[in-house]
Amino acid sequence: MTENSQQPQPAPTTELPTQYAPAEVEGKLYERWVERGYFEADAKSEKPPYTVVIPPPNVTGSLHLGHAFEHTLIDALTRRKRMQGYETLWQPGMDHAGIATQNVVERELAKEGKSRHDLGREAFVERVWQWKAESGGQISGQMRRLGDAVAWSRERFTMDEGLSQAVQTIFKRLYDDELIYRAERIINWCPRCLTAISDIEVEYQDDDGELVSMKYGDGDDTIVVATTRAETMLGDTAVAVHPEDERYKHLIGKQVKLPLTDRSIPVVADEHVDPEFGTGAVKVTPAHDPNDFEIGQRHDLPAIAVMDEHAVITAHGPFQGLDRLEARSAIVAALRAEGRIVAEKRPYVHSVGHCSRCKTTIEPRLSMQWWVKVGPLAKAAGDAVRDGKVKIHPQEMEKRYFDWVDNLHDWCISRQLWWGHRIPVWYGPNGEVVCVGPDEEAPAGEGWTQDNDVLDTWFSSGLWPFSTLGWPERTESLAKFYPNSVLVTGYDILFFWVARMMMFGLYAMDGTPPFHTIALHGMVRDQNGKKMSKSFGNVVNPLDWMDKYGSDALRFTLARGANPGVDVPIGEDWVQGSRNFANKIWNATRFALMNGATVEGPLPDASRMSSTDRWILSRLNSVVAEVDAYYEDYQFAKLSDALFHFAWDEVFDWYVELSKTTFQAGGEAAEVSKRVLGEVLDVTLRLLHPVVPFVTETLWTTLTGGESVVIAEWPADSGFRDADAEREIETVQSVITEVRRFRADQGLQPGQRVPARLTLAGSPLAAHEAAVRQLLRLQPEGDAFQATATLPVAGFEVALDLSGVIDFAAERKRLAKDLAAAEKEKAQATAKLGNEAFLAKAPDNVVDKIRVRLTKADEDITRIQSQLEKLPQA
């Protein structure tokens, strides 16, 4: 059997309140855990390490269901490993969230009628730090509400001194290795945030736009191009066609007149052009489109910028000063007036990129920026998974990872912000460029200036697994806790964050990847599977559900829906159901304690146990093994479901109920069962603890008198199995289930007593007759017993006397009426499904509903006929 980790123990206090009130215990328990240092990690410990980093939430953020979901899974893993004897580190911290945080503080300034430029850079950054101290980080308190077992003393912030040193160090190393460079290229520009953003910070959505086809050139030199961004035509420097397109071969190399301007532009041949798409000719605007930029590079075309950073037209002429959307309409109108418009399509639904922070339509823009040359870094990140150094779970997600890292473009890392890690590069008066490391002095003297840009937030968060442990110093913590054991994160940031950590970890840590396993989970959705969004009105504040049902209820609901890599639907009804489960655990443990369940002393020998005792211990050890296997495979839904059904169905609904007669009878058998019940509850509560920590802490310490289930030993499968006892109890369950079903079919009330004869003599089931009778409300047969109904169940026979309980004639009449209705329903459904004309016209969903009706009618007929057969003749 399993041994309790707290032996020997003081006699437990068996008093529990009649009801579980989460709000009264959760906060106190959490603070006690923190005060006792249970969650802290000791780098000097000789225990094996188990490390997980928290995906650092934004300092501007608050706990949402996605956080609650992910944190529940990580917390369950670390709590279990702590109980298994590992030195666990769940590393907490927050991300400075460059754009988001700067936007928050700029909005505050706007209320005062000021902008950041009124303050100046230094004063503005100080204002952000002030905001962070006063308002940032509310999510930390909310994480405590959820029960996150993180090492709070190690909390880090991506802008703190140590992490800032790590950022400067790796920038300098990458720069010296020629893996960071500065170049003018097309970037994604947000005209609202006034900064470059990376490809992965662009959200694409289908927008209603317009597709305008327009004529360039005149006479035989006319060529038609189509665009959804007519305003960019002011910056066109060529028209491109496919070199093998016979329609345009005569134009290649010629100049055509660019409308609304005094310029002529060449027609160039480029294999990038798809001759089957549209007219087969495309306008080329190298300064405002990434594909056009590449064409421009191949053909040495000039790049003419026609918009400023606010997306306002700067080209000379009547459109100068217009916003891009205003200019779009004005330019189309001007082209129409000149007879240049060939076709207009409105609305034209097409995919448009938006800033993930402010939702503004992004503008491709030629700009001088800093870049990471990702080629060698991305190859190493791909090879680490291919070589098995890092495993992605579920494995089918590997393809998405490879599709990304194998085709990664150079990463634009500079942002035109003031809040963030400023790029450590200085420019001299004579064109000098100096990159400064953390231990180096910046150039001094007249004319030297530091680069104004800051680094992309993902640059610093990409260092998270090792910068939080003290890198670049070779600290004890780094030696002990790097690499991480597992990264638990959503598949949606496989590209944002995971790939960056892989690239930087392998580069900075001499080829050692940042984690052994990447366990990917899905997104939380509403109960209908719909994405949660403010615009849909289905966003849920997890704190509301925790206030109403308790943190354990929310955690258990989230864990029970967590299949690897699959989205998780959640509804309030499900959280309420989990609250009911917590109450069930509470009430069953309270009942057990009141009836003498105990963990004192060793378990009795199996020879002294009843088959019911041996059955539940056999099942207990099977569940321990099952749960362990599911944990190792990150199958949170399956392990939660296994624990739910074992605890509720087998322990509380079967073992406790079957043992009641034993407890009532007293004697040695009762003492043995009390110890077995104590053992089962002890182990079950420990198994449940990582997912539902609060209620299990209260119950386990009351049951065992132990210090805390947080530091209790994780149960081990002792190997004890008793197949004979399991078969025997399964038979008892079959008898009880079948008779209960019959009673319900006959309309008997649950508490209504019925005389019965059980032919169990000479079988192992004879020992369970008292329990069977009690659970089924069956009286002894008595002298006037009449067997009006006989049920053969599992090789046994249960005879019931219903003569004084049921009006058989009335019951037969009622069932006959129900049978006639079911047969009529079947006939109608059969007729419709046999009507070819109906089937040809009816929608598929209507036909499917009729098929469901037919199936239901067949099932009803079979059920009612069975009930009629079991009724005695009137």
Side-chain angles (χ1 to χ4, degrees), residues 186-339:
I186 292 285
I187 47 91
N188 303 301
W189 181 264
C190 176
R192 158 63 185 78
C193 298
L194 297 180
T195 182
I197 60 175
S198 64
D199 291 343
I200 53 178
E201 292 172 301
V202 178
E203 293 179 349
Y204 287 90
Q205 67 184 48
D206 288 341
D207 286 357
D208 287 344
E210 60 181 4
L211 181 66
V212 179
S213 299
M214 47 198 182
K215 289 189 298 184
Y216 286 8
D218 297 295
D220 292 339
D221 293 345
T222 298
I223 191 166
V224 176
V225 298
T227 183
T228 59
R229 300 164 66 219
E231 68 279 8
T232 63
M233 61 86 59
L234 299 175
D236 286 359
T237 55
V239 174
V241 298
H242 194 276
E244 302 302 322
D245 193 330
E246 294 293 337
R247 295 171 294 177
Y248 303 119
K249 277 192 173 181
H250 69 288
L251 288 176
I252 295 173
K254 288 188 175 182
Q255 299 277 323
V256 295
K257 180 78 167 61
L258 180 65
L260 307 182
T261 73
D262 58 359
R263 293 190 292 117
S264 293
I265 57 177
V267 177
V268 299
D270 197 283
E271 292 187 352
H272 168 77
V273 179
D274 180 0
E276 303 298 322
F277 183 76
T279 64
V282 297
K283 59 190 286 299
V284 182
T285 322
H288 292 280
D289 184 274
N291 293 321
D292 292 3
F293 177 78
E294 297 297 332
I295 293 175
Q297 293 288 296
R298 288 194 289 271
H299 297 277
D300 198 25
L301 299 173
I304 302 175
V306 296
M307 274 180 263
D308 66 12
E309 66 269 23
H310 297 281
V312 171
I313 300 298
T314 58
H316 294 296
F319 312 108
Q320 187 174 7
L322 294 180
D323 171 79
R324 55 182 167 168
L325 298 182
E326 296 171 335
R328 184 175 300 170
S329 300
I331 287 170
V332 170
L335 289 167
R336 192 184 300 115
E338 287 191 4

Side-chain angles (χ1 to χ4, degrees), residues 591 595 610 612-613 654-671 673-674 677 729 732 736 753 765-778:
F591 168 85
N595 283 272
S610 67
T612 310
D613 294 332
W654 283 113
Y655 180 71
V656 169
E657 293 300 321
L658 289 171
S659 300
K660 279 183 179 178
T661 54
T662 304
F663 293 149
Q664 291 165 2
E668 183 185 356
E671 295 305 312
S673 292
K674 289 174 185 177
L677 179 55
I729 300 304
V732 173
I736 293 171
R753 295 194 169 275
L765 267 65
H768 304 282
E769 181 166 348
V772 170
R773 285 186 176 277
Q774 181 167 311
L775 290 172
L776 291 172
R777 305 296 190 268
L778 301 180

Side-chain angles (χ1 to χ4, degrees), residues 65 523-533 536-540 545 549 557-558 567-577:
L65 272 178
M523 304 297 101
V524 178
R525 297 182 177 271
D526 71 13
Q527 60 191 32
N528 299 312
K530 193 173 183 179
K531 181 181 178 181
M532 288 192 173
S533 165
F536 296 152
N538 60 352
V539 174
V540 174
W545 281 352
Y549 303 111
T557 304
L558 291 166
D567 288 346
V568 183
I570 184 172
E572 185 168 0
D573 289 350
W574 305 341
V575 184
Q576 186 174 353

Side-chain angles (χ1 to χ4, degrees), residues 56-75:
N58 288 352
V59 68
T60 58
S62 59
L63 190 74
H64 57 64
L65 272 178
H67 289 129
F69 173 55
E70 186 167 81
H71 290 201
T72 294
L73 305 188
I74 300 173
D75 197 42

